[in-house]
Structure formats: structure tokens, C-alpha cells
Amino acid sequence: MYISVVIPVRDDAELLTRCLAALREQTRQADEVIVVDNASSDASAAIAASAGARVVSCPEVGIPAAAAAGYDAATGDLILRLDADCVPPSTWVEDAGAWFSRSPRCVAATGGARFIDGPRALRWTALIYLGAYEIATGSALGHRPLFGSNMAMRTDAWHAVREHVHRHDAETHDDLDLSFHLGSIGRIGRMAGQRMGISMRPLWPGRAFGRRMRRGTRTVRLHWPEDFPPYRWKRLRARG
């Protein structure tokens, strides 16, 4: 199985360096690493290129556009996604490939995470953070949501939905939007393996957390009325 890794980045050169270093230490190397430079003003693109990654330019600012550009560029059978501030465990690529080989009915999957920065006494709250996200979004989806800092999907599944995602709306929650579309064509599973190291930055005081909440709510509403929960659940039950 040929595996592509996609990393959207905007002005996060220092943490991207750490992320790429962790990818070089994988027990099973990715066949290609694609860094999507989302109009960075720092050295993110140069750092990616010097690390051997393929740099894709996306001048349209916004995570939905940048992530989609990376998925479009991927040539593998399987696309893995993480963020520039993530630190993958050493078996991440190997575990993902093995999981999809054992799960032919799944079109996508998501994995767990743990905080690797912020107050040490609060790092356990990653379980609450992800649990709350899964409960809140799962009730609208009718199935497991994808978590963009640790997710994977089959490339042919992306090709099936790429024209339908809201890639040009920067205020869309791209993980959730993709979950709506992929969940309509197949199963979304949970990958086994160690948890992804992620930053606590989304929970730091300021506007970041509120912005994510607004984007999530907006994304759910973008899919109404066709994906209003009772209608969606009925279609999913009929599909089995």
C-alpha cells in the first residue's frame, strides 16, 4: 500500500520542523510527505523542502482549501493527515497501513490524541476534549467524526467526495465537513495504535476555541436540510 501524508501549514515553521523530524523516525516511512504551504510568511515552505517533503502551494487562505489541495496532490492509495503542531508516534504510518489492510469496508478512520504541551497537570483533558467533540458532532452525523490531527482515508474515497466538500469556505470546520461526505459513502472507523501528540493551543485563552465552535455549528447548518439529523440517520439505517 502506497501511503501519502498531508500536512497543511501556515506560519508554523518551528513546529513543522519537529513534526517532520518525527515522520523521519517512523518504523514504516511514508511514501510521500506533502506539506501544503497556505500563504506562509515564514520559512515553512523552505523547511519542508529541505526535509525532503513535496511542497504544494495554496494561496487561498483557510484550512479547508489547504487540506483539500494536499489531498488532491496525494498519489498514494491511502492519505494520512496531521497538523504541523503534531508529533506522531513512531508507529503511526505503519499502524495506519495495517489497520486499513484489516478493514476493507472502511473508507476513513480517525485516531486518538494526547496533549504534549501546556500545563502538565491538565494534559489528561485531551480525553475530555476529544470525547466532547465526538459526542457533539456524532449526534449530527449519526456516526464517528474525523479528527483532522489524526485521520486517514482511502484516496478513492476522497476522489468520490472532493467536488462536494466546502473547500472554498474558510469558516467551515473541514474535519466535520469531510465526515459528513465520507460517512455518506462508507464506514468511518477508529484506528488502533498510540495516540497522536497534539498541542493544547486550541484551548488556550483567546478566540481559537470559540472560533472552532462557531465553525462546527456553521458546518452542521451548511448540510441542512438534506443532512438534518433525522433525515441523515434514516438514510444511514437504510444503507446498513
Side-chain angles (χ1 to χ4, degrees):
M1 182 181 293
Y2 193 95
I3 298 178
S4 304
V5 172
V6 170
I7 312 171
V9 64
R10 185 164 191 254
D11 296 334
D12 223 351
E14 182 177 350
L15 293 179
L16 176 63
T17 300
R18 183 183 67 178
C19 178
L20 292 171
L23 286 173
R24 288 195 297 272
E25 298 299 321
Q26 293 291 299
T27 55
R28 193 279 200 202
Q29 291 291 302
D31 295 285
E32 65 176 354
V33 176
I34 300 169
V35 173
V36 184
D37 177 27
N38 195 205
S40 295
S41 59
D42 67 1
S44 293
I47 285 172
S50 66
R54 178 153 65 100
V55 179
V56 172
S57 177
C58 177
E60 181 181 351
V61 175
I63 298 175
Y71 305 151
D72 284 343
T75 61
D77 306 298
L78 184 65
I79 301 172
L80 275 58
R81 154 80 188 276
L82 76 168
D83 294 316
D85 59 4
C86 293
V87 178
S90 62
T91 60
W92 183 58
V93 175
E94 181 179 3
D95 289 343
W99 189 91
F100 274 87
S101 295
R102 297 192 304 267
S103 309
R105 297 184 63 189
C106 288
V107 297
T110 196
R114 60 186 181 87
F115 288 134
I116 54 175
D117 60 17
R120 189 172 296 276
L122 296 178
R123 292 183 185 178
W124 63 272
T125 58
L127 297 174
I128 297 176
Y129 174 60
L130 292 179
Y133 169 69
E134 185 163 329
I135 291 170
T137 57
S139 61
L141 291 165
H143 55 74
R144 180 177 292 110
L146 292 167
F147 176 55
S149 293
N150 187 6
M151 58 158 274
M153 62 182 162
R154 298 187 189 277
T155 306
D156 56 359
W158 165 249
H159 290 165
V161 304
R162 62 194 287 187
E163 299 301 327
H164 306 290
V165 298
H166 295 80
R167 66 168 74 200
H168 299 300
D169 186 342
E171 293 305 310
T172 297
H173 191 297
D174 68 303
D175 311 349
L176 182 55
D177 184 48
L178 189 56
S179 299
F180 270 107
H181 294 290
L182 289 177
S184 294
I185 65 170
R187 294 176 181 267
I188 295 178
R190 185 186 299 280
M191 289 186 291
Q194 300 178 52
R195 293 177 291 166
M196 175 69 68
I198 64 171
S199 174
M200 199 181 283
R201 291 190 297 180
L203 301 184
W204 289 353
R207 300 178 180 177
F209 184 72
R211 184 166 61 245
R212 286 173 181 249
M213 294 293 291
R214 289 192 298 273
R215 287 176 176 174
T217 301
R218 172 179 171 78
T219 302
V220 171
R221 290 176 176 170
L222 282 173
H223 288 268
W224 289 358
E226 291 83 1
D227 279 318
F228 189 67
Y231 303 158
R232 183 175 178 83
W233 300 341
K234 183 177 180 180
R235 292 200 306 273
L236 292 174
R237 283 197 300 270
R239 194 190 72 198

